[in-house]
Amino acid sequence: MSAATTRSRTPDRLCAEAVDLARSAAEEAAAPGVVGEHAGLVSEGDRVVTHFFECMELGYRGWRWAVTVARASRARIVTVDEAVLLPGPDALLAPEWVPWSERLRPGDLGPGDLLPTDAEDLRLEPGWTGEDEPPPNSAVSDEMADLVEAEDAEVTTRPPAVPRRGSIAAVAEEVGVHRARVLSRYGLHTAADRWEEAFGPKTPMAQAAPASCVSCGFLLRIGGSLGQAFGVCANEFSPADGRVVSLAYGCGGHSEAAVMPKPPQPAPPVIDETRVDPFPLRPAADSGSVPVTEDAATAELGHS
């Protein structure tokens, strides 16, 4: 170990004793009452020492005011080099910065917000090919590039630029394929995974459903390749009303789950009003089960 290294690790005596000078410099940079107790010092080099003071500012828990003092060789006067606010070992720090494109989550986009898509977005692919330059109304055209680079870009109501006559962009717009980009295979798969996770056959609602959506009368079919596996629910009492659901999804609001067999109805009584049945006020003598004539056997039994 060299002598210079040994000297740099040993705090200079005059610089170490300049606590009041360092405190006054910290209070000048901050404010009186914000600088707390002296929290130690560290040697930065030959005749260079940094003093630490606790920060009493609200919201800066664990931070310290660091004031570096120094003196020239063979000089007796200590001067202030710099005063800064630095985080300590247990300081309360802000979370690591994340780019805006990675911070966005579904549902964060509000009215008036502008979310430009990247030119290399894997979810999209060209809607048609045959021309090197994108159409002027595309988000990746030269006309839109300046707006994407500007963070304060505002959505304007000016009409989109019209492609020049005879170009492939003009022909594509005329035949109905004027979209500059469409969903790529990767974009289709990611969308299908999200919809399958939210309203798919593995959800608890679908596991307890009486039948799947493919046989439900409230299912609205969608076009495209995703229409082979998904549709839109149109049952206002279903938890998936207005949502894209898997054909294998299901809920208790299935259209055929409410069809119950009707209870059997008895036949109406038939009344014959063309004849009259006489009913005597007194029963006939021979209407009983025992004959009217008495004999010895029946008399003993008490029959009359």
Side-chain angles (χ1 to χ4, degrees):
M1 182 179 295
S2 63
T5 305
T6 304
R7 288 197 303 270
S8 63
R9 291 186 177 181
T10 302
D12 182 75
R13 183 179 62 83
L14 295 179
C15 293
E17 294 176 354
V19 178
D20 295 337
L21 176 64
R23 177 181 293 276
S24 62
E27 292 180 350
E28 183 179 357
V34 177
V35 181
E37 298 294 332
H38 187 260
L41 55 89
V42 63
S43 176
E44 304 288 355
D46 293 341
R47 297 178 299 278
V48 180
V49 175
T50 298
H51 294 269
F52 297 101
F53 299 91
E54 295 180 358
C55 180
M56 309 303 293
E57 186 78 21
L58 297 177
Y60 287 86
R61 185 181 63 191
W63 288 65
R64 302 180 299 179
W65 285 100
V67 181
T68 303
V69 296
R71 68 180 182 90
S73 178
R74 295 188 178 86
R76 306 289 296 179
I77 301 175
V78 179
T79 57
V80 177
D81 188 3
E82 63 177 356
V84 294
L85 183 62
L86 299 177
D90 301 328
L92 179 63
L93 300 176
E96 185 179 357
W97 184 82
V98 180
W100 68 268
S101 58
E102 300 178 9
R103 292 198 305 264
L104 288 176
R105 293 294 179 267
D108 291 346
L109 194 64
D113 294 338
L114 180 63
L115 180 60
T117 55
D118 189 6
E120 303 297 332
D121 196 326
L122 298 177
R123 300 172 300 172
L124 301 172
E125 63 183 8
W128 41 266
T129 58
E131 191 176 57
D132 296 334
E133 294 294 331
N137 60 344
S138 172
V140 295
S141 62
D142 296 337
E143 289 80 356
M144 297 294 180
D146 298 336
L147 294 178
V148 175
E149 294 295 335
E151 295 182 358
D152 56 347
E154 298 181 356
V155 179
T156 60
T157 58
R158 64 182 179 86
V162 179
R164 65 181 181 274
R165 185 181 180 88
S167 62
I168 297 181
V171 176
E173 184 174 359
E174 183 177 354
V175 299
V177 290
H178 56 278
R179 290 189 297 170
R181 291 187 292 178
V182 295
L183 277 175
S184 62
R185 183 174 296 273
Y186 172 76
L188 291 173
H189 286 174
T190 54
D193 292 340
R194 292 195 310 270
W195 300 342
E196 191 85 13
E197 182 179 358
F199 298 99
K202 296 182 180 180
T203 57
M205 180 67 71
Q207 296 290 333
S212 59
C213 293
V214 68
S215 60
C216 182
F218 294 108
L219 180 73
L220 299 178
R221 294 285 187 171
I222 60 176
S225 58
L226 290 179
Q228 302 176 6
F230 297 94
V232 179
C233 178
N235 187 354
E236 60 178 330
F237 299 107
S238 172
D241 181 36
R243 306 293 186 88
V244 178
V245 297
S246 171
L247 297 183
Y249 179 73
C251 68
H254 195 278
S255 61
E256 307 308 317
V259 177
M260 303 296 293
K262 295 182 179 180
Q265 298 291 337
V270 178
I271 301 176
D272 187 3
E273 300 179 351
T274 61
R275 57 176 295 185
V276 178
D277 296 330
F279 289 95
L281 296 179
R282 295 180 180 181
D286 57 350
S287 62
S289 61
V290 180
V292 179
T293 59
E294 296 183 2
D295 55 1
T298 58
E300 294 178 359
L301 296 176
H303 292 283
S304 55

